[in-house]
């Protein structure tokens, strides 16, 4: 199958493209600017720059490539950046998705959109796929707008909601585990919140879930995340202990002590029963995720 991946240079994008190539798919990777992926020369791999903020580029590329399936993983994904550059975040996350859907609809290409637990307000937590969405920051609002566009797509559509993704960063952004490792290796202290609740997700499990959806042509919304409920502070402590680093450098704090531009939903975490029963999804527990992230046996 010819799969077009947006946000291919990103953290998730790297692992998605790698796995798709490993299992024999043709991958047309797209991202903003030049290719940062190390797959040039790999059979089935090609790269095209695509800035989702541009209306024309999406339709030109979709027409040119004519993929069998689209995985839309590109986003302005840092909540604080979205809060500070609201117009740009709306243009990329919401309108960028709209532009891509418009282009894809001409050829009725199945469309898989990567969304987030930040579409929820974080009051109740442990959200199912059909829980009421009520984002409390601009990032969440743009991702909700995009979900709404996807749900109106007249052909096959699916939405993946995931949570606090971790693993070894290859080409995309860093994550909690890699930051803890870097800071503690340098002997620096690191403040981590202990009043936000998540179901953290090992990046390769997320890829497995997305590819199962593609293989089964699953439609609708699926939560794809880890099963263990943890706070970032608990994750950081376990990472430090796992790596034999000095956990006393980790400073437990609360969200109210942070003056961040974007408010974070306090208690999220998603239910994965639907993914378990329909996709056979079975995520790693956090200990396994740590082992896989740091290539330990
Ligand atoms: N990481 C998490 O914890 C998490 C949690 C929930 C949901 N998600 C969702 O998962 C998806 C993947 O996130 P990630 O962690 O892989 O983030 P990431 O490492 O920041 O990757 C996002 C990618 O989007 C691309 N992008 C940004 N603006 C673009 C534009 N205007 N046109 C085209 N591409 C653009 C970036 O391309 P360049 O690098 O080339 O600029 C980047 O490679 C996102 O949709 C995010 O909302 C992530």
């Amino acid at each position: 199958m010819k799969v077009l991946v947006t946000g291919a240079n990103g953290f998730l994008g790297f692992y998605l493209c790698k796995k798709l190539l490993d299992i024999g798919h043709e991958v047309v990777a797209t991202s903003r600017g030049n290719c940062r992926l190390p797959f040039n020369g790999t059979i089935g791999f090609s790269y095209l720059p695509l800035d989702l903020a541009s209306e024309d580029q999406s339709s030109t590329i979709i027409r040119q490539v004519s993929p069998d399936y689209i995985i839309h993983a590109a986003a302005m994904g840092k909540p604080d950046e979205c809060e500070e550059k609201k117009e740009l975040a709306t243009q990329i996350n919401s309108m960028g998705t709209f532009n891509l859907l418009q282009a894809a609809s001409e050829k009725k290409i199945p469309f898989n959109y990567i969304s987030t637990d930040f579409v929820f307000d974080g009051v109740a937590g442990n959200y199912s796929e059909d829980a009421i969405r009520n984002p409390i920051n601009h990032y969440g609002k743009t991702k909700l707008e995009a979900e709404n566009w996807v749900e109106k797509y007249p052909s096959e559509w699916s939405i993946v909601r995931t949570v606090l993704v971790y693993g070894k960063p290859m080409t995309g952004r860093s994550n909690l585990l890699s930051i803890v490792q870097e800071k503690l290796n340098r002997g620096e202290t690191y403040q981590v919140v202990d009043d936000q609740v998540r179901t953290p997700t090992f990046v390769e499990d997320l890829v497995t879930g997305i590819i199962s959806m593609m293989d089964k042509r699953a439609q609708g919304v699926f939560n794809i995340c880890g099963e263990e409920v943890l706070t970032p502070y608990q994750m950081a402590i376990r990472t430090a202990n796992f790596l034999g680093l000095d956990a006393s450098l980790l400073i437990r704090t609360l969200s109210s002590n942070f003056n961040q531009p974007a408010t974070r939903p306090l208690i999220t975490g998603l239910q994965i029963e639907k993914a378990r029963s329909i996709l056979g999804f079975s995520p790693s527990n956090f200990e396994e995720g740590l082992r896989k992230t740091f290539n330990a046996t």
Side-chain angles (χ1 to χ4, degrees):
M1 201 150 46
K2 191 197 277 187
V3 186
L4 184 137
V5 177
T6 72
N9 278 335
F11 175 40
L12 170 62
F14 168 89
Y15 286 97
L16 254 178
C17 292
K18 181 173 186 315
K19 184 71 184 180
L20 287 165
L21 289 167
D22 284 350
I23 58 178
H25 290 291
E26 184 179 345
V27 174
V28 181
T30 70
S31 230
R32 203 171 29 185
N34 293 333
C35 181
R36 298 199 301 273
L37 296 161
F39 306 130
N40 273 330
T42 305
I43 293 168
F45 176 78
S46 58
Y47 180 89
L48 291 169
L50 165 59
D51 184 348
L52 291 167
S54 146
E55 216 176 306
D56 296 341
Q57 286 186 22
S58 291
S59 64
T60 308
I61 284 184
I62 300 289
R63 279 207 194 105
Q64 185 186 329
V65 173
S66 194
D68 302 308
Y69 196 87
I70 294 173
I71 303 175
H72 177 29
M76 187 192 265
K78 293 185 178 156
D80 291 335
E81 194 185 354
C82 292
E83 210 66 34
E84 284 169 336
K85 298 177 189 161
K86 285 193 171 130
E87 216 170 297
L88 185 61
T90 299
Q91 202 182 2
I92 293 172
N93 293 355
S94 173
M95 294 319 296
T97 303
F98 176 81
N99 294 339
L100 209 55
L101 286 160
Q102 286 283 101
S105 66
E106 284 176 26
K107 295 197 170 175
K108 300 184 169 51
I109 302 161
F111 195 97
N112 180 300
Y113 174 61
I114 313 301
S115 191
T116 168
D117 57 331
F118 276 35
V119 296
F120 298 111
D121 57 20
V123 176
N126 192 28
Y127 294 103
S128 67
E129 281 79 358
D130 54 6
I132 292 168
R133 298 164 294 175
N134 181 34
I136 57 168
N137 60 38
H138 193 70
Y139 167 65
K141 285 177 188 159
T142 61
K143 297 292 282 186
L144 171 58
E145 280 167 15
E147 285 194 3
N148 288 336
W149 293 126
V150 175
E151 289 173 358
K152 291 192 183 82
Y153 186 58
S155 299
E156 270 181 52
W157 63 264
S158 50
I159 292 171
V160 175
R161 291 202 194 111
T162 192
V163 184
L164 215 172
V165 187
Y166 68 88
K168 184 176 179 186
M170 301 301 287
T171 47
R173 62 165 150 155
S174 52
N175 58 84
L176 182 60
L177 272 58
S178 59
I179 296 170
V180 168
Q181 184 183 32
E182 278 166 27
K183 294 255 183 200
L184 270 46
N185 264 332
R186 288 200 295 261
E188 294 172 18
T189 57
Y190 185 42
Q191 288 194 53
V192 198
V193 289
D194 199 24
D195 60 347
Q196 292 174 17
V197 174
R198 304 285 184 256
T199 43
T201 312
F202 177 56
V203 64
E204 293 183 53
D205 290 344
L206 174 57
V207 166
T208 302
I210 296 167
I211 292 178
S212 303
M213 287 176 71
M214 183 180 89
D215 288 344
K216 293 185 160 47
R217 299 296 278 262
Q219 297 185 52
V221 182
F222 282 79
N223 293 339
I224 305 277
C225 63
E227 60 186 347
E228 246 173 287
V229 176
L230 293 166
T231 70
Y233 179 73
Q234 289 168 338
M235 290 170 71
I237 291 283
R238 285 179 62 175
T239 304
N241 290 339
F242 181 85
L243 293 171
L245 295 169
D246 181 2
S248 71
L249 291 168
L250 296 167
I251 301 168
R252 180 183 174 277
T253 188
L254 301 177
S255 308
S256 54
N257 295 333
F258 268 117
N259 193 12
Q260 292 172 299
T263 311
R264 269 55 171 181
L266 275 186
I267 305 168
T268 69
L270 304 176
Q271 295 174 15
I272 54 170
E273 280 67 27
K274 183 177 174 185
R276 275 191 202 284
S277 64
I278 298 179
L279 307 174
F281 179 65
S282 173
S284 317
N285 62 39
F286 191 62
E287 205 58 31
E288 289 164 348
L290 280 168
R291 274 204 300 278
K292 291 173 187 170
T293 297
F294 297 110
N295 293 324
T297 45

